[in-house]
Amino acid sequence: MAAWTWRFETADGTEVQPSVRPEEFTTQGDAESWIGEYWKELKDGGADQVRLFEDATEIYGPMSLHAEGSEDAEGAEADGGAGSADAAEGAAAPGSAEG
């Protein structure tokens, strides 16, 4: 069975320990739901971006934890390209109205 995990990084790609400790997820949807719930705490704890992995394969990322156009986006990729939350199709993006 595949394990879905998140890698937490600073804006320059350096791995950091998350402020909220995730478990391994059994589905992509569970992993994305979790990041949608905890992204603010993760950002406040020092993570600027995340990458999603299925086992050892990177599925997507980096995905910024900073809302586009906000003061928090300084130093994070917020250009609407591959580094933005919009690039994660189906993910609960920071600032989205899901819920």
Side-chain angles (χ1 to χ4, degrees), residues 16-35:
V16 295
Q17 293 300 311
S19 57
V20 180
R21 196 65 156 176
E23 297 179 21
E24 287 187 349
F25 303 98
T26 57
T27 67
Q28 182 175 354
D30 287 346
E32 291 171 339
S33 292
W34 183 88
I35 204 76

Side-chain angles (χ1 to χ4, degrees), residues 5-48:
T5 56
W6 291 103
R7 174 184 158 103
F8 305 91
E9 301 176 344
T10 59
D12 68 3
T14 303
E15 186 170 11
V16 295
Q17 293 300 311
S19 57
V20 180
R21 196 65 156 176
E23 297 179 21
E24 287 187 349
F25 303 98
T26 57
T27 67
Q28 182 175 354
D30 287 346
E32 291 171 339
S33 292
W34 183 88
I35 204 76
E37 185 173 341
Y38 291 104
W39 70 271
K40 285 184 182 180
E41 289 92 335
L42 294 163
K43 179 181 66 81
D44 292 344
D48 294 309

